[in-house]
Amino acid sequence: METVLNPMRGPNRLKLGLFGANADGGLALTRVPERWRAEWAEMVAAARLADDAGLEFFLPIARWRGFGGETNARESSFETLTEAAALAGLTRRIALFATVHVPMIHPVVAAKALATIDHASGGRAGLNVVCGWSPEEFACFGLEMVADRYEQGQEWFEIMSRIFSAETPFDFTGRYFALRGVFGRPRPLQRPGPYVLNAGFSDAGRNFAARAADALFTTFVEIGSSGAQIADMRARADAAGRAVAVFTTCHVVCRPSQAEAEDYYEHYAVAMEDRAAVDHYMANKERFTRSHDPAAYRLHRKRFVGGAGTYPLIGTPERIADELIAIETAGFAGVGLSFVNYAAELPFFAARVLPLLTRAGLRG
Ligand SMILES: Cc1cc2nc3c(=O)[nH]c(=O)nc-3n(C[C@H](O)[C@H](O)[C@H](O)COP(=O)(O)O)c2cc1C
């Protein structure tokens, strides 16, 4: 396989990708009949549309249980290491992330799987590290959440990284892992390894990103106040002597008119919410994570229905391009996008919004 430049390391000032297209519902918790079913063929279609449109990344979510309610959203989701390996042969340029749960996937397995994806894709593999938050998912593995999930994440990351660089087998003794004679070949094509995101929001999550990741993948409530979050992340990265970018995620309704976009948003994210699933999701997220600003839970139920609590980009191509420009100006280096129906809605977004971002100098 010919090596290509991983577009995550390319020159575009604002990188864009699809987030969540491997799971039913995507990021939404809605009952509308056109909601995303995440069947294999349509997920591949979405990945290829994104690849052809020049988006930089395809980023899946890692889920092991649904959220209940009428739709039991996310009950069906493709496992992300095997999905990325399969997409390697079905796409040409786009970076293919695997979202890997630290407590569930052993680092020796993850290192070998990521190296495999990197070889299969010519150097397009990416890793999104998630430390996990749902007790129901931990229970599937007979696990309980550890008190300091990011300390476990740090050990996990160190083991994986050493596999990528070690010349000889090594031992590792930590609080969570005690391993003997660890080694892995082949190495990934990318050096020192695949591009690394860490999905998190809390202080501990940001500190982990400062030490380990190429970018923090995080949420925000308002564009105007997000600059402080980015400055905070930069300060932590500076203290660790590293450069760490900040990526975020938004849900999108892009339509020819503002009224059309807002009407559809109201329809799928209010009138057609999957109430029990939303209640369950919001309660557990608030209880077990610091993934969102606490105010978000009280102010923005619609955003949790619309896109798992992410920021909404709702409106005309011009309006959405302006907001993406403001997001880049605030300091974000990339945005993972979700749609109610990725394959149906991405073409209009790509045709109408991307040229505006190119004109603004954010993308080539
Ligand atoms: C943008 C974003 C995406 C995430 N994606 C996933 C995911 O796909 N699967 C998962 O189990 N957790 C996911 N998480 C949860 C985090 O990995 C983390 O376990 C959780 O947010 C708790 O850490 P925190 O308190 O630092 O946010 C995500 C979090 C954020 C902020």
Side-chain angles (χ1 to χ4, degrees):
M1 166 63 72
E2 194 186 333
T3 307
V4 294
L5 173 70
N6 184 329
M8 295 299 287
R9 304 186 204 276
N12 283 349
R13 271 164 48 197
L14 185 70
K15 299 187 170 53
L16 295 175
L18 296 187
F19 180 42
N22 65 314
D24 71 306
L27 290 203
L29 294 165
T30 181
R31 295 177 295 122
V32 293
E34 67 275 22
R35 69 183 182 272
W36 190 240
R37 307 291 168 152
E39 289 182 0
W40 183 256
E42 62 183 2
M43 187 196 69
V44 171
R48 283 178 155 165
L49 284 167
D51 194 25
D52 291 344
L55 266 53
E56 279 81 5
F57 62 94
F58 190 81
L59 174 57
I61 59 172
R63 283 273 72 84
W64 306 99
R65 289 291 308 272
F67 293 131
E70 196 177 313
T71 61
N72 201 6
R74 318 295 182 269
E75 182 182 38
S76 173
S77 70
F78 288 111
E79 189 285 318
T80 70
L81 288 157
T82 46
E83 167 245 290
L87 288 180
L90 300 169
T91 53
R92 294 173 301 138
R93 291 180 308 191
I94 196 163
L96 298 166
F97 278 87
T99 294
V100 180
H101 270 120
V102 161
M104 285 78 155
I105 311 292
H106 196 280
V108 176
V109 176
K112 195 171 271 295
L114 286 162
T116 304
I117 299 165
D118 213 38
H119 281 261
S121 65
R124 294 184 282 136
L127 165 66
N128 181 28
V129 185
V130 291
C131 289
W133 59 274
S134 162
E136 292 152 9
E137 296 193 334
F138 279 71
C140 296
F141 292 80
L143 295 170
E144 284 183 16
M145 251 187 292
V146 300
D148 186 348
R149 51 192 150 192
Y150 284 105
E151 195 177 312
Q152 186 184 35
Q154 188 65 40
E155 289 187 12
W156 188 101
F157 186 79
E158 203 179 313
I159 295 161
M160 185 200 70
S161 305
R162 279 181 69 182
I163 292 172
F164 293 160
S165 63
E167 295 297 342
T168 52
F170 64 91
D171 295 346
F172 183 92
T173 306
R175 248 177 78 193
Y176 297 98
F177 296 96
L179 313 177
R180 298 287 163 267
V182 180
F183 199 57
R185 284 291 185 276
R187 288 180 164 143
L189 296 176
Q190 294 174 82
R191 306 303 305 152
Y195 192 95
V196 178
L197 293 173
N198 169 50
F201 184 92
S202 63
D203 283 346
R206 291 178 199 186
N207 288 338
F208 176 78
R211 290 191 300 268
D214 293 300
L216 175 75
F217 183 44
T218 200
T219 52
F220 67 92
V221 180
E222 299 304 339
I223 299 172
S225 51
S226 61
Q229 258 173 271
I230 289 158
D232 176 77
M233 186 61 233
R234 287 213 177 115
R236 290 172 203 258
D238 284 349
R242 299 181 67 247
V244 179
V246 185
F247 278 57
T248 192
T249 164
C250 297
H251 53 287
V252 181
V253 180
C254 185
R255 297 289 187 273
S257 79
Q258 192 63 32
E260 218 179 309
E262 284 173 12
D263 287 352
Y264 185 64
Y265 190 35
E266 188 71 12
H267 170 65
Y268 94 83
V270 178
M272 294 294 281
E273 72 164 8
D274 186 343
R275 180 183 304 242
V278 183
D279 288 345
H280 180 82
Y281 179 78
M282 289 179 71
N284 275 356
K285 264 260 154 168
E286 183 161 24
R287 181 153 171 225
F288 297 112
T289 77
R290 299 280 166 275
S291 293
H292 298 275
D293 194 309
Y297 294 99
R298 274 158 288 289
L299 296 173
H300 297 302
R301 183 179 176 92
K302 189 172 177 179
R303 293 184 184 185
F304 281 89
V305 185
T310 61
Y311 186 80
L313 295 174
I314 311 298
T316 61
E318 293 72 23
R319 163 88 172 254
I320 289 178
D322 284 348
E323 287 207 285
L324 285 168
I325 292 165
I327 285 170
E328 194 274 338
T329 305
F332 288 107
V335 183
L337 306 166
S338 68
F339 299 84
V340 171
N341 188 305
Y342 295 81
E345 296 179 63
L346 179 59
F348 183 70
F349 174 91
R352 297 289 300 276
V353 178
L354 295 184
L356 300 176
L357 299 179
T358 301
R359 204 178 305 158
L362 267 52
R363 300 177 55 79

